Amino acid sequence: MRVEVARTDELSEPGAQKLVEVNGRELAIFNVGNEYHAVVNYCIHQGGPLCEGELTGGYDVDSDGWMWKYDEHRKIIHCPWHNWRFDVTTGENVDDDSLAVPTYDVEVEDGTVYVSM
Amino acid sequence: MNHPVRTRFSGKSYDSSLHSAPSLRTMKNFTRLTRCCITVDSVQRSRWVFRSESLCRPIWDMVDVSMASTNSITNRSLDDLGMVVDADAHVSEQFDDVLPYVDDRYAGPRKRMQGDSKGRQWATVFSATQAGPSPKSKYEETRDSETKIRQLREFGIDHGVLLGTRFNGINTVNNPRYAVALADGFNNWILDEFLDEEKTLSAGITIAPQKPSKAAEEIDRRATEDGFVGVAMPPGGLLPPLGHEKYDPIYQAAEDNGLPLMMHGTNRGFQYGMPTLFRGTESKAEAHFLSHPFQIMQNLCTAIFRGLPERYPDLDLVFQECGVGYIPYAKWRLDDIYMEKPEDMPLLTKPPSAYIDENCYFTTQPLGHTGGSPSDVARAIEMAGPENIMYSSDLPHSTFDPPEELFNKIRGHFDDDTLRGIMGETAVEVFDLS
């Protein structure tokens, strides 16, 4: 099943996010580097509204193996309850790879964003 | 006490008149989500398929059923409990909220603090800092009773015992005149904004341990006002620590008024009271790990070894925000040392754990993420002493535990009376909330 959820011009800026409801499920659609991703709005930690948090880049260790480096590529959603972090492009928890939240396939046609279920 | 309208939803309950908070929409969708996630086509990773059932439930929803067959269990959900009390609920005071509430008898220190530019007083009056920036708190600020009550209702909590946030670092105020004035202002503010004619909320009396005689006056004055149910004596930066005779006027006033001492740590108090430990930290994360439990362990030790429960046998001590895992360890270690070195604690007539059982209470948050073994929490509470454990949320701080974080892990382990005690009734007795 394919459901229309947004127009690309609503989400034209990288880092844009939109909450939608599809078949009784709350999802969020994210623009990550002009590619679109859909993630369930539900944090597996304690049930918080995951996708109502902030979409950010992430810190990593620089090539010297020591200094902080900040990657501006905004693809990490922070749960507003306890700051648990998930990569919206994969659904995986950034800090514990045994954890993940559901993601959904997204297609774009003629400026319309669809989610497949 | 008010009892919210409760809607069964994954054990959650909420007041339907206050359901505008965004997270509730998510909770209402939860049941459907649980069912559908398992068959989502786009979830293709093998571990997802393998672990989908547990992953699609919040981690706190995993239930300990290890003892279910041996106990009489009727409390199957929070809805069945009489009352849920948050024994560590916070407000988010700003310095400028409090300053105008400082009484005219402290006009001198008030004027001196007003003379500093806005916002600088956290550094110039509270002389302590942190090892690094905190993550921005993404939950709502809590500076009025309406917000606080909505927050408690959203999580199905019937009553909150309030403390400040930064004012738990009052020990870091070097000048005792400022500290005394600020304690008075904070108590006036919390009374006006949160407690007046509001039975859903109560609070600890914030005091300035720097000046015990004035602190005792503050306790005596506030104890006559409805809503003050304890004495906030923060352990962070408390020098000397709890149990010292310097604080005798405070212990006496608290005991005379039937108020427990509330010991709640702070990150800034850690820097102030344990500076060499603090200097070894490189980040807020390291300092945060050490700060709360080290402050509590130090003050639990000195209070017991110096015989505070012998000298003030009717004084209850409430230790907050360290979880439950450390309690068995602390009791065992204190008892070991008592047996080895009893001459170092001449006032004691029985092992430390016996005083802890009689005089000390512990709030549960942060329980910690216990992975695949939710029954670990129940076993820790069993060892700690369930009669001395009180649920707490820590809302609105980002380390908060909803009631289910605790309840779902212990509901299969304890009998009904014990569960009711942990989730609320023990707090009703300790803080005399009835």
Side-chain angles (χ1 to χ4, degrees), chain B residues 23-247:
Chain B
S23 54
L24 291 174
R25 295 200 310 274
T26 314
M27 299 315 297
K28 281 184 283 188
N29 285 330
F30 172 67
T31 309
R32 280 170 289 178
L33 180 67
T34 305
R35 198 164 50 239
C36 69
C37 280
I38 297 167
T39 57
V40 167
D41 292 336
S42 62
V43 179
Q44 293 164 341
R45 286 177 302 280
S46 58
R47 70 164 181 277
W48 243 102
V49 176
F50 179 65
R51 298 191 58 198
S52 57
E53 193 165 353
S54 62
L55 280 174
C56 290
R57 303 164 63 194
I59 289 162
W60 50 255
D61 205 32
M62 292 189 282
V63 177
D64 171 29
V65 293
S66 60
M67 297 284 286
S69 60
T70 59
N71 284 329
S72 163
I73 307 293
T74 56
N75 282 321
R76 274 309 181 186
S77 89
L78 275 169
D79 301 12
D80 302 325
L81 288 178
M83 183 158 169
V84 176
V85 176
D86 181 356
D88 177 16
H90 286 281
V91 299
S92 321
E93 71 280 7
Q94 294 298 315
F95 198 93
D96 289 339
D97 292 330
V98 173
L99 202 52
Y101 277 94
V102 173
D103 190 84
D104 283 346
R105 67 183 178 284
Y106 304 125
R110 185 180 65 201
K111 183 171 175 56
R112 294 211 70 183
M113 289 186 282
Q114 278 168 336
D116 210 341
S117 54
K118 183 179 168 127
R120 266 173 47 90
Q121 296 99 332
W122 291 125
T124 57
V125 178
F126 286 73
S127 45
T129 185
Q130 298 188 159
S134 307
K136 191 170 54 177
S137 174
K138 301 194 175 77
Y139 216 75
E140 56 194 330
E141 286 289 297
T142 307
R143 292 160 69 191
D144 60 80
S145 61
E146 189 183 340
T147 304
K148 188 67 213 180
I149 291 167
R150 187 171 66 240
Q151 197 176 84
L152 296 177
R153 289 284 181 263
E154 182 185 340
F155 290 94
I157 300 167
D158 299 305
H159 186 96
V161 182
L162 304 177
L163 288 172
T165 294
R166 293 198 182 195
F167 268 69
N168 291 322
I170 194 166
N171 293 320
T172 73
V173 178
N174 270 19
N175 190 298
R177 295 170 185 83
Y178 292 148
V180 166
L182 286 170
D184 171 76
F186 183 79
N187 291 327
N188 284 330
W189 176 72
I190 209 164
L191 182 66
D192 190 46
E193 289 288 348
F194 294 89
L195 302 185
D196 266 357
E197 299 176 16
E198 180 50 72
K199 300 302 181 194
T200 304
L201 302 173
S202 54
I205 301 164
T206 289
I207 56 166
Q210 294 92 327
K211 189 71 172 173
S213 60
K214 292 285 186 187
E217 287 176 23
E218 186 77 15
I219 294 167
D220 287 337
R221 186 164 56 246
R222 301 295 176 182
T224 62
E225 299 180 76
D226 285 344
F228 285 112
V229 297
V231 174
M233 179 134 172
L238 185 67
L239 301 171
L242 193 65
H244 195 276
E245 63 184 19
K246 168 186 173 181
Y247 307 120

Side-chain angles (χ1 to χ4, degrees), chain A residues 24-26 40-42 44-47 49 52 54 80-83 90 92 97-98 100-105, chain B residues 22-23 25-27 29-30 32-33 36 42 45 47-48 51 55 58-60 138-139 155 398 400 402 405:
Chain A
R25 279 172 251 179
E26 276 193 17
V40 70
N41 183 26
Y42 184 84
I44 57 168
H45 174 214
Q46 292 183 338
E52 292 170 21
E54 190 179 1
W81 279 14
H82 300 94
N83 206 40
T90 63
E92 290 185 10
D97 65 9
S98 71
V101 291
T103 58
Y104 300 86
D105 290 335
Chain B
S23 54
R25 295 200 310 274
T26 314
M27 299 315 297
N29 285 330
F30 172 67
R32 280 170 289 178
L33 180 67
C36 69
S42 62
R45 286 177 302 280
R47 70 164 181 277
W48 243 102
R51 298 191 58 198
L55 280 174
I59 289 162
W60 50 255
K138 301 194 175 77
Y139 216 75
F155 290 94
S398 61
F400 72 89
E405 177 79 16

Side-chain angles (χ1 to χ4, degrees), chain A residues 1 18 20-21 33 40 49-50 54 81 87 96 102 105 114-115:
Chain A
M1 186 177 82
K18 180 188 179 185
V20 297
E21 186 165 326
V40 70
L50 174 66
E54 190 179 1
W81 279 14
D87 181 332
D96 180 346
D105 290 335
Y114 300 91
V115 165

Side-chain angles (χ1 to χ4, degrees), chain A residues 19-93:
Chain A
L19 278 178
V20 297
E21 186 165 326
V22 180
N23 279 354
R25 279 172 251 179
E26 276 193 17
L27 317 177
I29 314 300
F30 297 95
N31 176 344
V32 179
N34 288 323
E35 291 190 352
Y36 298 90
H37 299 271
V39 177
V40 70
N41 183 26
Y42 184 84
C43 182
I44 57 168
H45 174 214
Q46 292 183 338
L50 174 66
C51 296
E52 292 170 21
E54 190 179 1
L55 192 70
T56 72
Y59 288 94
D60 208 341
V61 179
D62 213 339
S63 55
D64 65 0
W66 181 73
M67 180 49 79
W68 269 317
K69 181 179 72 173
Y70 186 68
D71 178 359
E72 298 281 353
H73 193 55
R74 293 171 64 186
K75 62 172 188 175
I76 298 171
I77 189 71
H78 295 243
C79 180
W81 279 14
H82 300 94
N83 206 40
W84 278 36
R85 307 186 302 159
F86 296 85
D87 181 332
V88 300
T89 68
T90 63
E92 290 185 10
N93 186 284

